[in-house]
Amino acid sequence: MKTNSFDIVITSKEHLLLNKALFKLKTLPVMLLYSIIVIILSVICFLFNHIFVGVFLLLVMIFYNLFVVIMHRKNVKNAFEKSEVLKSNIYYHYTFNEDIIDVTLNSKVTKYVEQIEYKNVYRVIEDKNNFYIFVNKYKAFVFVKDNATIEQVKELKIFLKSKIKNYRYI
């Protein structure tokens, strides 16, 4: 792939969608695993006539899952209310070179530049609308596919798959 550059604008609405996608990606699998374990324990309790313990475990699971979702939404709302960066559009400029990705971020509040070597990319996750380029477990750059042509997106997908070992489509 030859060097490709893209200019991308991420609105506050897209920030919110990104946050929801990351919540699904990071938190929901843990909640699901926790729920499965609790359900299995509850079934075991019911089999041994410990109905009260089984019901108690199920109620704790339900309230815990609700608590996690409510707290996440509250934290996101607070972050969006307090952050000037998240309230405004953020302008990204991506340059995909042979060995590195150059990322420049501009907003009303900040300017940020980072060069990422492909070997240091933690993971790339693709969904129908975006590429999420993770530099660690918690930090991702978003590439909105609508800012490129269909051919460019296909070419970028092939290129990223060849460069990044941990590539996944969700």
Side-chain angles (χ1 to χ4, degrees):
M1 179 174 118
K2 64 180 182 358
T3 299
N4 274 329
S5 293
F6 301 93
D7 290 312
I8 297 188
V9 178
I10 298 183
T11 64
S12 59
K13 180 182 175 187
E14 288 169 328
H15 276 285
L16 202 52
L17 293 173
L18 168 64
N19 196 282
K20 288 179 181 179
L22 292 176
F23 178 77
K24 288 178 184 175
L25 185 69
K26 296 287 184 183
T27 308
L28 286 184
V30 174
M31 289 173 61
L32 182 63
L33 180 63
Y34 163 75
S35 298
I36 290 169
I37 291 169
V38 169
I39 289 169
I40 290 170
L41 290 173
S42 295
V43 168
I44 292 169
C45 289
F46 291 139
L47 290 174
F48 288 99
N49 290 326
H50 297 291
I51 295 170
F52 176 76
V53 175
V55 170
F56 177 75
L57 286 172
L58 290 173
L59 288 174
V60 167
M61 175 196 69
I62 291 167
F63 285 117
Y64 172 78
N65 287 342
L66 286 173
F67 175 77
V68 168
V69 171
I70 290 168
M71 289 307 296
H72 173 75
R73 287 184 179 168
K74 181 181 175 194
N75 290 339
V76 168
K77 182 180 176 188
N78 288 341
F80 272 79
E81 288 173 355
K82 292 178 183 176
S83 173
E84 290 301 317
V85 173
L86 295 176
K87 287 180 186 176
S88 63
N89 291 343
I90 295 182
Y91 301 90
Y92 287 93
H93 178 79
Y94 290 97
T95 303
F96 294 91
N97 298 302
E98 193 59 37
D99 297 324
I100 60 170
I101 305 170
D102 286 316
V103 181
T104 304
L105 176 149
N106 282 306
S107 73
K108 287 182 182 177
V109 182
T110 187
K111 181 174 180 167
Y112 176 79
V113 177
E114 185 164 347
Q115 288 190 327
I116 309 160
E117 292 183 43
Y118 292 106
K119 67 180 183 179
N120 294 331
V121 172
Y122 176 73
R123 170 184 292 157
V124 173
I125 295 176
E126 178 189 2
D127 65 17
K128 66 180 181 177
N129 300 316
N130 305 309
F131 291 102
Y132 304 98
I133 302 166
F134 284 84
V135 291
N136 60 41
K137 278 185 170 182
Y138 306 104
K139 179 181 175 185
F141 291 103
V142 183
F143 181 93
V144 181
K145 291 179 181 179
D146 288 344
N147 289 278
T149 66
I150 294 171
E151 271 308 308
Q152 288 172 320
V153 169
K154 286 179 183 177
E155 190 176 319
L156 183 58
K157 179 179 182 171
I158 292 167
F159 180 73
L160 289 174
K161 279 184 170 182
S162 73
K163 293 287 186 179
I164 312 298
K165 292 177 184 161
N166 197 355
Y167 185 98
R168 193 168 73 172
Y169 184 86
I170 56 170

